[in-house]
Amino acid sequence: MDKDLIIKQIIQHKKQPNLRYQLKERTEVFTNLLFYTLFDIETPVDSNLEALEIEFDKLVNLACWDTQKPCKKVWENYIATLPEVLKKLNLDAEATVNCDPASLSIEEVYMAYPGFYAIAIYRLAHELYKIGFPLVPRLMTEYAHRQTGVDINPGAKIGNSFHIDHGTGVVIGETAIIMNDVKIYQGVTLGGLFVAKHLQQTKRHPTIENNVTIYANATILGGETTIGANSIIGGNAWLTNSVPPNSTVFHSPEIKIKTNTHV
């Protein structure tokens, strides 16, 4: 075995000069610190904001490969959004405690509900996404995805009082639009009708209007698909076309009961 040759060949095939997995690890540190700063009552906000700025500078050094984009200017604009983000997240938590008969307290929602955690990290990542900060928003939502099974692209637009129950298997695509007072359950997909790279700059995912409930494992696809306000989408429904406001859509399974004729 020629060890030196193997080392040389591995180095030759490491072709991505900006691929530093330290960025992924530092993003997770930043995300945890940010979550505690906003929610944990014993975490001091003032000193934590200073610590967050230090962590953010590390992300800037790792993520901002384009020297023409001054990423260091992002921080002050970002922290200015945090009070409004926290206000929205409190509304999300209240929506959950009001919707779910299994919730015993609002504290339980903040600490134990994977849907709420995924929404929280999405909202925090979305503000960085809007600013155009590279890669970190996606790493934040993927961190939440690994922990909760809820995959929300940071580019999605989500209104107030959003509730995800159970959460596992939920997928919300980059160009999805979700308005206010929407409730979705486990396994729901808001996805693209088909995948092609040339569609990158187009709206590929559906629009969900106000006060819609989407039950478990429903699939809604397509950028031109709109679910009208006050509608209910039943479990396992498959939709690629719009439905008007006040609709009820449900899947009717074909059930065949096999009887045993042998005695």
Side-chain angles (χ1 to χ4, degrees), residues 199-217:
L199 298 174
Q200 187 171 21
Q201 301 301 318
T202 63
K203 187 178 185 301
R204 308 180 303 281
H205 306 98
T207 296
I208 312 299
E209 293 186 346
N210 293 333
N211 196 36
V212 168
T213 299
I214 308 172
Y215 284 104
N217 298 310

Side-chain angles (χ1 to χ4, degrees), residues 7-255:
I7 292 170
K8 182 179 179 181
Q9 289 174 336
I10 290 173
I11 292 172
Q12 285 176 341
H13 290 296
K14 292 179 72 169
K15 295 182 177 181
Q16 306 302 325
N18 296 313
L19 188 57
R20 298 179 176 90
Y21 278 90
Q22 183 187 164
L23 173 60
K24 186 176 181 179
E25 295 164 359
R26 295 252 53 99
T27 297
E28 293 173 7
V29 171
F30 174 79
T31 301
N32 288 332
L33 190 60
L34 186 56
F35 189 85
Y36 271 68
T37 302
L38 292 186
F39 294 110
D40 183 56
I41 200 66
E42 294 182 349
T43 298
V45 175
D46 51 354
S47 60
N48 258 41
L49 283 180
E50 294 176 4
L52 280 165
E53 185 172 7
I54 292 170
E55 291 299 325
F56 192 79
D57 281 342
K58 295 175 184 176
L59 298 181
V60 167
N61 292 331
L62 290 166
C64 293
W65 312 314
D66 187 345
T67 57
Q68 302 302 314
K69 294 182 179 180
C71 290
K72 285 184 180 292
K73 295 181 180 180
V74 168
W75 176 246
E76 289 186 3
N77 292 331
Y78 180 62
I79 63 169
T81 70
L82 294 182
E84 183 63 23
V85 170
L86 182 54
K87 179 181 177 182
K88 288 183 177 181
L89 287 170
N90 287 335
L91 290 174
D92 296 328
E94 290 168 10
T96 294
V97 81
N98 291 332
C99 288
D100 186 6
S103 62
L104 301 177
S105 68
I106 198 163
E107 290 81 6
E108 181 186 23
V109 172
Y110 285 108
M111 290 193 285
Y113 273 58
F116 175 78
Y117 182 81
I119 295 167
I121 303 308
Y122 151 77
R123 291 203 188 279
L124 292 167
H126 181 66
E127 296 303 320
L128 285 176
Y129 176 94
K130 289 194 299 183
I131 293 169
F133 194 80
L135 192 53
V136 167
R138 186 59 186 270
L139 291 175
M140 291 172 70
T141 55
E142 280 304 306
Y143 179 46
H145 181 197
R146 293 203 312 275
Q147 296 187 79
T148 66
V150 179
D151 183 0
I152 309 176
N153 189 287
K157 297 177 181 178
I158 299 178
N160 295 330
S161 300
F162 183 44
H163 168 53
I164 299 176
D165 203 352
H166 303 294
T168 305
V170 166
V171 176
I172 300 173
E174 180 186 24
T175 61
I177 297 173
I178 299 173
M179 297 185 185
N180 300 325
D181 302 302
V182 170
K183 299 184 284 291
I184 67 176
Y185 288 76
Q186 69 272 18
V188 167
T189 297
L190 305 181
L193 192 55
F194 58 93
V195 178
K197 193 66 176 179
H198 71 274
L199 298 174
Q200 187 171 21
Q201 301 301 318
T202 63
K203 187 178 185 301
R204 308 180 303 281
H205 306 98
T207 296
I208 312 299
E209 293 186 346
N210 293 333
N211 196 36
V212 168
T213 299
I214 308 172
Y215 284 104
N217 298 310
T219 298
I220 304 171
L221 305 177
E224 296 182 1
T225 303
T226 296
I227 305 303
N230 309 309
S231 292
I232 297 173
I233 309 301
N236 295 307
W238 178 282
L239 288 171
T240 58
N241 294 300
S242 297
V243 300
N246 306 304
S247 296
T248 299
V249 178
F250 57 91
H251 168 70
S252 297
E254 182 180 354
I255 300 174

